[in-house]
Amino acid sequence: MIVSINWIKDYVDLEGFDIKNLINKFTLSTAEVEDIYIKGDDVQNVVVGEILSVENHPESSKLHLLKVDTGDKIRSIVCGAPNVRVGLKVALACDGGRVPAGFIEKRKVAGFESEGMCCSENELGIGDNNKGIWELDTDAPNGTDIKTIYPVDDILFEVDNKSLTNRPDLWGHYGIAREFAALTGRTLKALDLAEVDYTGEDKVSVEIPRKDLVFRYSTVKMSGISRNESSMAMRIRLYYCGMRGINLLADVTNYIMLEIGQPTHAFNADSVDKIVVKTPESKINFTTLDGTQRVIDEDTLLICNGETPIGIAGIMGGLDSEIVQDTGSVVLESAVFDGINIRKSSQRLGLRTDASARYEKMLDPELTLIAVGRFIKLVKSLDSGAYVSSKLNDLYLKKYPQIVLEFNKKYVDRYTGIEIDDNRIINTLTSLGFGVDYTDGNFTVTVPSWRATKDVTIKADIIEEITRVYGYDNFSITTTSLPLKPVKNDYARMADDEAREILVKKYSMHEVHSYVWCDGRKFKKLGIDVEDNVRVINIENSDNGVLRNLMVPTLLTIANENKGFSSKFGIFEIGRIVNGTDKDGNCKEEKHLGIVLYDKSGDEKKLYFELLEIISCISAEIKNQKTVFTKISPRHNWQHPKNTASLSIDGTEYGFMCTLYPSNRSKFDKTGVVVCAEIDLNIFDTINAKAVSFEEPSDRQETYYDLSLALNNSTRFEDIEKCWQSLEIAEFKSANVIDTYDKLGFKGITVRLNFVAKDRTLEMEEVQSWIDKILINLSDIGVVLRS
């Protein structure tokens, strides 16, 4: 939101204050200011000029040769604007002057000397009109600096909208002016409002079937409007704050919204007989002011003329009720709708406007009549022939309860930790609009309506009001004494950190963080289907509407986007997935660890065993147990039909690892390979870790023996492993897979068995006797030495 200091000065006298320091105070006390803009510094020596003569350029059909009176002299100007004419008052940038585009110099243009430039609103940075030169509506003498007539000089500051979420009163300049009044100790001037001075019986008919979605609805009719354009001062102010000038009535409603934060809408009175505020019985098509036809569902609140929709409540009016050039009579709507309904409707329609952004914040219903009074005042001041032509129709359906909070001075001192004078507390709260009753150290505070919609509800909120205006930078820095208590270990979190450390430090992998929903467009590139799961209802037409039930597909899309930056890498994520809903309809969240390895070399087998080693290391380091890898049928269409295995410890399955189905692999990379795994950390955390045992290493030489074995298709490594484990050879140390072979129907493996004794150096005959026994056990399961 962009705020104009000129506008603030309408309501607070800031004379004598450094504006930039005040803006900094506003940041510290109220809301974050993102930037400050100085307007008008780049407009210098631009004066009122009067065109005395206009001649066509002899060699150009677009250029004109002008004589312009600037008071001190008659200047020759070459101008290409289509709207030049004798007697027109213009904004002339004289030679030596400056406009936002640069400095103005006397120079020849198309063969003729030009002593300046006739400027458009856009060229001066005060409007978006660039169709012709600015036609001044002023009686000021020629040569008068335009900055003395129009509010070109201003200081703007941009407030971060997120910091205003809980402060609907700050979505208008008057609310921000109230903050400046409190910060400076100056008086906040009252808004200049007009009364509804109509004495007849005519009244705009209003019916509200959906009373649950409307807090207050106020209407009045004005007629006799003949002026189509708002004042230049108003248009400059709107433009500086990010809105363009449209016409008198649209500009006034936008001006009121920026001034007090209350959206209003002016309907062409010729299009309104009876206002009905309702939702449609079924979906309908409706064309909004921007010319877009939209589908309106049964939950979207509409403003109707009888049965015909003329606007989407709180969002945008309809094209058929638009204010046009000859509109002389309008029906003003000033209403407060249910903020939640407006937000949801805005999201469904994909249409977020300045009005809907304010309604979402839960506006104060007391603002509707203030907006009506301000509208009447502004329209009458700009168009003397305008008048109120109906009674006020004010339907106040739902009121926020009045909030009264009681506390004593000790409560303030205890919360703030400092001594703040009673009078300062009273003055601070009063300047912010709170009602204060003080008796013998006890405060009774009445929260103003504009802060009672959702902002100030408890006593602690009052403490915040007092301290932020007092100034957090005025607090003395002290060290708080607190008892130190041991923090209970979160073993699940510790296991996550340990897994993270293994993956990063030992295997040089990269941790990523992704969204919890599926990106259908990215999934489609890899041929991965978005599996049915919990859907986000407000984005049902989006590819991103389904929450993920696995982490690997998301990581595959990330790997696919990054494969061009490295020939080999690994990524992992510890995050959340959603596995349907429980009996209460809540999402069943699970914590998973996903891993994806990519290698441009195309050696899928090697990469698969690298992943197997990583998983084995995780289970060994964290649980001190071995993971059993069991071949399973694929459970998802992107998993390879043969190279998919479950992960389990002591019979508890806790995840899977796999390569990709050939078509998915081809879409990922025609030459590179990728393997992936996913661990359900909720299950993994329930597996008991075995106690770590230690033994003294032997100082004797280690002996190893390599066995090259021929396997049948059903043999698992766990089966082979039992052949030496069952012998319980005390000197046996470890077994390592050296190589594997699986081609042309033949399957083989080379295993290195390591032996060492603590008290002697082993003889080969002794080792051979163990090997013979192992080979007998292997033959019993159909495994023999490879010939």
Side-chain angles (χ1 to χ4, degrees):
M1 177 178 170
I2 297 176
V3 180
S4 161
I5 286 294
N6 282 351
W7 212 331
I8 298 298
K9 287 180 177 178
D10 286 353
Y11 298 107
V12 184
D13 179 12
L14 300 181
E15 188 68 33
F17 287 98
D18 183 286
I19 299 300
K20 289 188 177 180
N21 283 342
L22 273 181
I23 293 173
N24 183 57
K25 272 190 172 184
F26 180 85
T27 291
L28 295 175
S29 66
T30 309
E32 180 184 354
V33 173
E34 295 184 325
D35 212 342
I36 298 175
Y37 311 101
I38 308 300
K39 305 296 286 187
D41 271 6
D42 51 5
V43 177
Q44 302 293 335
N45 200 18
V46 179
V47 301
V48 176
E50 183 178 354
I51 299 177
L52 302 180
S53 67
V54 179
E55 295 181 12
N56 293 329
H57 191 286
E59 298 177 0
S60 173
S61 59
K62 294 183 178 180
L63 296 179
H64 302 91
L65 307 179
L66 313 180
K67 295 294 183 182
V68 181
D69 180 7
T70 57
D72 58 339
K73 61 183 293 189
I74 307 298
R75 299 175 186 267
S76 298
I77 304 295
V78 180
C79 180
N83 60 328
V84 294
R85 61 183 182 274
V86 174
L88 179 64
K89 293 273 186 118
V90 299
L92 185 73
C94 303
D95 55 294
R98 183 184 177 189
V99 295
F103 290 94
I104 303 298
E105 299 175 349
K106 182 191 296 185
R107 62 188 181 92
K108 282 194 173 183
V109 177
F112 290 84
E113 188 174 79
S114 184
E115 300 177 90
M117 180 177 78
C118 295
C119 301
S120 68
E121 296 174 20
N122 184 262
E123 287 166 332
L124 292 175
I126 60 172
D128 60 354
N129 188 348
N130 202 27
K131 294 180 180 178
I133 56 176
W134 179 15
E135 299 185 14
L136 302 186
D137 182 16
T138 179
D139 295 327
N142 297 338
T144 304
D145 192 324
I146 64 162
K147 291 162 77 170
T148 65
I149 310 170
Y150 301 101
V152 177
D153 284 328
D154 200 354
I155 298 175
L156 311 178
F157 61 94
E158 187 170 4
V159 181
D160 176 22
N161 287 349
K162 295 188 295 295
S163 61
L164 301 179
T165 299
N166 292 319
R167 291 291 303 273
D169 61 305
L170 295 184
W171 283 75
H173 280 73
Y174 194 69
I176 293 177
R178 185 183 293 109
E179 295 289 315
F180 274 82
L183 293 173
T184 59
R186 299 284 175 86
T187 302
L188 178 69
K189 300 174 187 175
L191 287 161
D192 192 2
L193 309 177
E195 296 291 334
V196 179
D197 53 1
Y198 176 77
T199 57
E201 294 300 319
D202 190 21
K203 184 169 69 172
V204 178
S205 177
V206 178
E207 181 183 332
I208 307 178
R210 289 303 305 268
K211 292 180 172 59
D212 57 318
L213 299 180
V214 182
F215 280 78
R216 192 173 191 177
Y217 199 91
S218 306
T219 54
V220 73
K221 184 177 179 181
M222 288 194 74
S223 303
I225 301 168
S226 57
R227 179 168 174 168
N228 184 255
E229 190 175 54
S230 59
S231 69
M232 192 65 216
M234 179 177 285
R235 297 204 304 275
I236 291 174
R237 192 166 278 186
L238 289 172
Y239 184 75
Y240 279 179
C241 292
M243 306 196 82
R244 63 186 182 90
I246 302 173
N247 55 51
L248 172 65
L249 297 169
D251 290 355
V252 170
T253 56
N254 286 335
Y255 189 90
I256 292 170
M257 180 176 66
L258 293 181
E259 185 171 60
I260 64 174
Q262 171 64 47
T264 57
H265 189 80
F267 294 104
N268 189 334
D270 295 338
S271 305
V272 177
D273 296 316
K274 177 183 180 181
I275 291 177
V276 181
V277 186
K278 64 177 185 176
T279 52
E281 294 180 0
S282 60
K283 290 184 178 180
I284 62 169
N285 293 324
F286 178 69
T287 304
T288 46
L289 276 173
D290 58 0
T292 303
Q293 187 177 84
R294 305 179 188 278
V295 177
I296 309 300
D297 65 15
E298 299 87 341
D299 294 321
T300 301
L301 192 63
L302 292 175
I303 309 300
C304 301
N305 177 34
E307 294 298 320
T308 305
I310 56 175
I312 305 174
I315 300 176
M316 185 176 283
L319 189 63
D320 292 340
S321 62
E322 181 182 17
I323 301 298
V324 293
Q325 189 77 19
D326 60 350
T327 298
S329 182
V330 296
V331 171
L332 176 70
E333 168 197 89
S334 181
V336 170
F337 305 106
D338 179 73
I340 296 173
N341 177 266
I342 298 298
R343 175 175 58 80
K344 290 182 176 180
S345 298
S346 176
Q347 288 179 334
R348 288 194 301 271
L349 293 168
L351 179 62
R352 196 166 191 266
T353 61
D354 288 296
S356 68
R358 286 164 170 80
Y359 278 120
E360 290 172 8
K361 307 304 183 291
M362 313 300 287
L363 293 179
D364 174 17
E366 299 296 326
L367 284 174
T368 64
L369 293 191
I370 296 174
V372 169
R374 192 72 178 128
F375 181 85
I376 296 170
K377 178 66 180 180
L378 290 172
V379 171
K380 284 186 173 182
S381 67
L382 294 170
D383 189 338
S384 59
Y387 61 92
V388 179
S389 54
S390 79
K391 295 169 66 175
L392 173 69
N393 193 354
D394 179 32
L395 302 179
Y396 205 153
L397 305 177
K398 291 196 292 183
K399 291 188 177 184
Y400 285 100
Q402 187 177 70
I403 298 175
V404 178
L405 302 171
E406 297 180 352
F407 55 91
N408 56 33
K409 183 63 164 54
K410 289 182 179 179
Y411 179 82
V412 177
D413 294 343
R414 185 171 70 255
Y415 259 77
T416 61
I418 59 174
E419 180 74 25
I420 302 178
D421 183 71
D422 290 359
N423 288 329
R424 185 158 189 175
I425 294 173
I426 294 169
N427 292 337
T428 296
L429 293 175
T430 303
S431 66
L432 292 171
F434 291 83
V436 182
D437 183 18
Y438 176 74
T439 306
D440 297 331
N442 295 306
F443 296 87
T444 301
V445 175
T446 303
V447 180
S449 60
W450 59 85
R451 300 295 300 278
T453 60
K454 65 174 182 176
D455 179 21
V456 178
T457 57
I458 58 177
K459 292 187 290 183
D461 294 331
I462 299 293
I463 300 300
E464 181 185 356
E465 296 301 302
I466 297 168
T467 52
R468 69 182 182 84
V469 175
Y470 179 82
Y472 297 121
D473 51 338
N474 293 324
F475 281 61
S476 58
I477 300 174
T478 57
T479 301
T480 302
S481 298
L482 292 173
L484 292 176
K485 298 180 180 179
V487 178
K488 185 178 180 181
N489 286 328
D490 183 344
Y491 291 103
R493 182 181 58 79
M494 292 169 65
D496 295 348
D497 291 342
E498 194 170 352
R500 186 179 285 112
E501 189 164 312
I502 291 169
L503 295 171
V504 172
K505 291 187 176 181
K506 188 168 184 176
Y507 295 102
S508 301
M509 295 180 66
H510 305 276
E511 184 175 13
V512 299
H513 298 281
S514 60
Y515 294 119
V516 75
W517 51 81
C518 301
D519 191 323
R521 179 178 56 83
K522 294 179 180 179
F523 279 27
K524 189 176 181 180
K525 286 183 179 180
L526 299 179
I528 298 175
D529 295 332
V530 176
E531 298 178 1
D532 188 36
N533 199 20
V534 180
R535 181 179 292 274
V536 181
I537 59 174
N538 284 337
I539 50 173
E540 57 185 11
N541 296 324
S542 168
D543 288 335
N544 299 346
V546 179
L547 300 184
R548 66 184 180 188
N549 60 352
L550 283 177
M551 191 173 290
V552 163
T554 302
L555 294 183
L556 288 171
T557 66
I558 296 173
N560 187 46
E561 291 172 340
N562 287 275
K563 66 187 180 186
F565 299 102
S566 178
S567 60
K568 184 176 181 179
F569 62 84
I571 60 174
F572 74 94
E573 178 180 8
I574 296 175
R576 301 284 176 175
I577 64 101
V578 174
N579 188 8
T581 58
D582 59 22
K583 62 181 181 180
D584 297 322
N586 298 317
C587 290
K588 293 193 292 185
E589 288 190 36
E590 297 174 3
K591 183 172 61 173
H592 281 207
L593 164 62
I595 302 174
V596 167
L597 304 182
Y598 168 75
D599 190 350
K600 188 71 174 176
S601 70
D603 193 340
E604 187 174 69
K605 178 180 175 182
K606 180 181 177 182
L607 195 63
Y608 189 80
F609 278 99
E610 284 183 21
L611 180 58
L612 184 145
E613 179 191 341
I614 291 170
I615 295 169
S616 298
C617 180
I618 290 173
S619 61
E621 293 286 340
I622 298 176
K623 297 298 181 181
N624 197 29
Q625 296 214 59
K626 294 185 65 174
T627 291
V628 175
F629 300 87
T630 306
K631 181 180 175 180
I632 58 172
S633 299
R635 297 163 181 170
H636 308 279
N637 60 11
W638 45 267
Q639 291 177 319
H640 197 281
K642 293 184 178 180
N643 300 329
T644 299
S646 65
L647 317 177
S648 58
I649 296 175
D650 289 340
T652 301
E653 183 177 328
Y654 68 88
F656 69 85
M657 64 177 290
C658 67
T659 60
L660 295 185
Y661 195 84
S663 62
N664 299 104
R665 172 185 164 175
S666 177
K667 289 181 179 181
F668 186 95
D669 195 320
K670 294 186 182 300
T671 58
V673 294
V674 63
V675 297
C676 49
E678 186 155 337
I679 294 173
D680 186 330
L681 292 175
N682 295 108
I683 297 175
F684 188 73
D685 291 339
T686 64
I687 299 173
N688 293 325
K690 282 189 175 179
V692 179
S693 60
F694 299 91
E695 63 179 38
E696 183 180 353
S698 175
D699 59 357
R700 304 298 174 139
Q701 182 176 348
E702 188 174 304
T703 301
Y704 68 86
Y705 200 108
D706 290 348
L707 296 176
S708 294
L709 306 172
L711 311 176
N712 57 49
N713 287 331
S714 62
T715 305
R716 300 182 305 169
F717 183 78
E718 290 75 17
D719 302 326
I720 300 171
E721 199 173 30
K722 292 175 183 177
C723 293
W724 52 78
Q725 288 178 344
S726 63
L727 297 175
E728 297 183 351
I729 302 170
E731 290 79 7
F732 177 79
K733 181 182 178 184
S734 62
N736 304 103
V737 177
I738 303 301
D739 192 20
T740 60
Y741 185 85
D742 188 2
K743 286 186 178 179
L744 303 176
F746 180 79
K747 192 174 182 181
I749 186 172
T750 299
V751 181
R752 175 167 293 174
L753 304 177
N754 301 288
F755 301 90
V756 66
K758 294 182 180 179
D759 57 350
R760 67 191 187 282
T761 300
L762 295 174
E763 297 293 337
M764 197 60 206
E765 292 78 8
E766 188 177 10
V767 174
Q768 186 62 51
S769 67
W770 297 329
I771 295 298
D772 292 341
K773 294 177 181 179
I774 292 171
L775 290 174
I776 293 172
N777 288 345
L778 289 170
S779 66
D780 291 342
I781 62 171
V783 177
V784 297
L785 286 174
R786 195 169 69 195
S787 57

